[in-house]
Amino acid sequence: MMKILKFIKLTFILLSLTMAVFLFASLRLVSYNDTIKYREIYTDRNVFLQPKFSYKQINCYFGFNTADKCLKINSTIYLPFDLIKKKFDVNGLIDKKGNFQLTPSNHRIFSPLSNYNSRGEFLWFGDQNVESRDRVKFVSLIENVPISNQWKKSGHFYPIQIAQYGLSHYSKWFRKKKVDQFKNFTINQRDNFLFIKNDGIFAEKIKNGFKFKFRERSIYKTNYNFDFGYLLAELETNSSFNITVDLMIRDSQIPVAGQITSLTYSFNADGTKKSENFTSHLNKDKSFEIIYKINGFNGTQTIIRNFCIDSCKAFGIRCDGCFKQPKKIKFTNGSEYNLYQIGLVGEGEIRKAVFFEKSPSYEIAKQVGDYLVSTQSNDNGGWMINITRKFASDSKKIMLESGWHSAMAQGHAISLLCRLYSQTKDEKYYKSAAKALDLFELDTKLNGVRTNFMNSSLIWFEEYPTKPNSLFVLNGFVFSIFGIFDFLDGCKNTNDVFYFNKAKDLFQNAVYSLAKLINLFDTGTRTLYDLGHLVDAEINPNVARWDYHCVHVSQLNYLIDILENLEPNFDQKLAKFFAQKLRNIRKRWENYTKDICAFLTKEIVD
């Protein structure tokens, strides 16, 4: 009997201990679950491993206004990112792996190293890599210009971004003016092109290229040492074919590192209207496949592809590293890829095919110029922007309906077209640039870009011609002034007095307006992005981000240089007066950036 009682007592003790442990664990689990949601917001995970901690939500204040809820864990305060984003002008994003990347806003002030030249580099754009921007969805396989995902995720052709793409590549080319290392892409078995010539399958040389018909993929071997990152080629088919570039990628950021990634360009003659898209997927064997496809492909098509950019866009990672290394093609963290082999399947012709080690920048700039010529409106010389924009969530009045024009787009396009005209003397570039001036004389109420400041005689060229009230955006106005000057200097044509006089009047009146109004953009600590608050009481003053502020200072540096070196047919006394006024303002604005513009920028914002 005693043994039974001892057994029952022991069992009761064990059950009590078990229940105590269970209850303690449950309490810890509840405490853990209450804080688990903060794991995705705050990066200091070690605090959760401390044996004792307490947490609670507290109010965070900026001035007298409650800004947001913060988290207090022991003595450490954690701030939500949205709270500091605008206050401290920083950027952040969550990558595909769920990691949070915090970066300062990009700032740098640029100054001309020599007198401004409308036939040479455009401002500081030789340092820009437009195609690497997050706002570029990908570079069009049809048009060879960027497709923007700004304001429209499915993509659209944004003239400002397109012209900047052309200007950046023209500037890169002008800076070096040399042919980079290249290799012709031809049918030649001595170059390890492996193909079979029987049963209706063939490959043969033609003038400037070759034609082919392959039922299965025929391979051009490169022995892993092919460091060329660009393909420029003229293509033609009345059927369909694929060009597949196999890349051996070594990048710790990419889950398929060490595996082959197949980058396929697919040209399909089916369909009556051209369309394009790209897809990507991971195969069962862990290889990655990227397909850029054109439907409705017919006739002759020139393509210029950057394998690194095309891969980055598909992987959804930053593309900055595609331009950093002189030889090896790099991704963001410095890891590299090599071009392993090229495959062909289908039927078509390939002519003038060249692999380049570095960017064929002059060819890219010409492609952009040709696109601008072909898409320009015959009626008003503009490049229409088919996007509806809303500028303030609390004011439906600040709107841009689809089908608007931008003075910044007009100015950038003129700057590129006149540079191409100076090199080629091709009249199509000159005529397009001259026609683009017409929109500067058309009021914003008539879908133009010109307005007057608060019913005065001071003209303004609008980057965003909102109706019924104008915003008076500073950087877009000054970029349009550069475009007008580039017509005067880069598109010189003594036989065309009409357009020369038009550009001269536009330039002088715009500089006069800028000199009169520029102090309105000065807050005493930073510049304003626009003057919308002066014409609409519902709009708050729009203080420029630091990167825009530094763009304002950089623009003044170049504009002052232009005014100090104008030709004698301009009013020299007035030009020097304006130059001195802008110089004083530039100095003050630059002083605002002490300890701020120390960060190196990679982009100007479009």
Side-chain angles (χ1 to χ4, degrees), residues 523-591:
T523 69
T525 56
R526 206 191 305 184
T527 50
L528 293 166
Y529 180 81
D530 59 59
L531 299 179
H533 64 290
L534 296 182
V535 294
D536 191 333
E538 294 183 17
I539 303 176
N540 294 326
N542 187 7
V543 178
R545 299 197 314 257
W546 280 115
D547 51 354
Y548 275 113
H549 176 83
C550 291
V551 167
H552 293 160
V553 178
S554 300
Q555 287 178 320
L556 291 185
N557 284 334
Y558 284 83
L559 188 55
I560 291 167
D561 179 76
I562 288 174
L563 292 173
E564 289 178 337
N565 293 283
L566 284 177
E567 293 184 350
N569 56 1
F570 289 87
D571 188 330
Q572 296 293 308
K573 185 176 180 180
L574 191 61
K576 292 186 184 303
F577 172 77
F578 288 152
Q580 183 58 48
K581 181 174 182 178
L582 296 180
R583 192 182 298 109
N584 293 336
I585 293 169
R586 184 274 315 275
K587 184 177 180 180
R588 184 166 69 245
W589 287 4
E590 192 168 12
N591 285 336

Side-chain angles (χ1 to χ4, degrees), residues 101-377:
Q101 299 179 10
L102 180 66
T103 58
S105 186
N106 295 320
H107 320 294
R108 183 180 174 185
I109 291 176
F110 295 91
S111 299
L113 300 177
S114 58
N115 290 344
Y116 182 78
N117 179 8
S118 295
R119 300 170 187 80
E121 292 186 45
F122 179 70
L123 305 176
W124 54 89
F125 277 47
D127 296 322
Q128 308 303 307
N129 299 308
V130 175
E131 58 267 53
S132 71
R133 295 175 183 170
D134 293 337
R135 289 177 172 179
V136 173
K137 186 177 179 68
F138 63 95
V139 176
S140 169
L141 198 59
I142 297 174
E143 303 290 359
N144 293 306
V145 299
I147 295 177
S148 177
N149 56 22
Q150 189 175 4
W151 310 313
K152 185 178 180 181
K153 290 185 178 180
S154 60
H156 66 104
F157 291 106
Y158 188 36
I160 290 178
Q161 192 178 79
I162 290 169
Q164 288 182 351
Y165 177 61
L167 286 166
S168 70
H169 278 284
Y170 180 93
S171 300
K172 293 175 192 296
W173 166 79
F174 192 89
R175 180 178 293 180
K176 58 185 181 181
K177 278 191 174 179
K178 65 178 183 179
V179 178
D180 287 314
Q181 186 177 353
F182 66 91
K183 183 178 182 67
N184 292 320
F185 181 37
T186 61
I187 289 290
N188 189 335
Q189 286 186 316
R190 289 179 300 176
D191 288 339
N192 298 323
F193 207 127
L194 308 178
F195 61 92
I196 303 171
K197 188 174 183 181
N198 58 36
D199 193 23
I201 300 174
F202 67 89
E204 62 183 54
K205 290 184 179 181
I206 58 174
K207 185 178 180 181
N208 296 324
F210 59 91
K211 61 180 180 179
F212 60 92
K213 182 178 180 181
F214 297 138
R215 292 181 180 175
E216 296 180 355
R217 192 163 76 146
S218 295
I219 301 299
Y220 182 99
K221 290 288 187 181
T222 63
N223 299 323
Y224 294 92
N225 296 317
F226 215 49
D227 293 333
F228 297 97
Y230 290 81
L231 171 63
L232 188 156
E234 187 178 280
L235 312 175
E236 184 174 350
T237 186
N238 55 12
S239 178
S240 63
F241 69 90
N242 293 347
I243 302 175
T244 298
V245 180
D246 289 334
L247 308 172
M248 178 63 77
I249 294 179
R250 301 173 183 85
D251 192 316
S252 60
Q253 291 187 350
I254 301 174
V256 296
Q259 299 286 337
I260 292 292
T261 291
S262 296
L263 179 58
T264 296
Y265 302 103
S266 179
F267 305 92
N268 191 340
D270 293 341
T272 57
K273 186 178 180 181
K274 279 187 179 180
S275 63
E276 64 181 317
N277 59 68
F278 82 86
T279 58
S280 58
H281 63 273
L282 186 66
N283 297 319
K284 291 182 179 180
D285 62 355
K286 302 301 182 182
S287 63
F288 201 79
E289 188 170 8
I290 303 165
I291 302 175
Y292 284 82
K293 186 174 183 179
I294 295 181
N295 292 316
F297 181 86
N298 53 66
T300 301
Q301 173 82 40
T302 297
I303 66 165
I304 303 177
R305 304 313 298 178
N306 178 329
F307 304 143
C308 186
I309 290 291
D310 285 345
S311 300
C312 281
K313 296 300 180 183
F315 284 129
I317 62 176
R318 294 186 63 84
C319 302
D320 300 354
C322 291
F323 303 93
K324 290 181 179 179
Q325 299 297 327
K327 291 184 179 180
K328 297 290 184 183
I329 303 166
K330 303 283 183 175
F331 284 106
T332 303
N333 72 343
S335 298
E336 68 184 47
Y337 73 69
N338 292 100
L339 202 164
Y340 168 48
Q341 61 187 20
I342 301 103
L344 282 174
V345 62
E347 182 178 1
E349 295 184 10
I350 299 179
R351 297 183 291 272
K352 302 177 183 177
V354 178
F355 289 107
F356 285 92
E357 180 181 354
K358 296 182 183 178
S359 169
S361 289
Y362 185 68
E363 288 78 5
I364 291 175
K366 284 191 65 179
Q367 287 282 332
V368 176
D370 292 343
Y371 170 84
L372 292 172
V373 171
S374 66
T375 57
Q376 185 179 32
S377 169

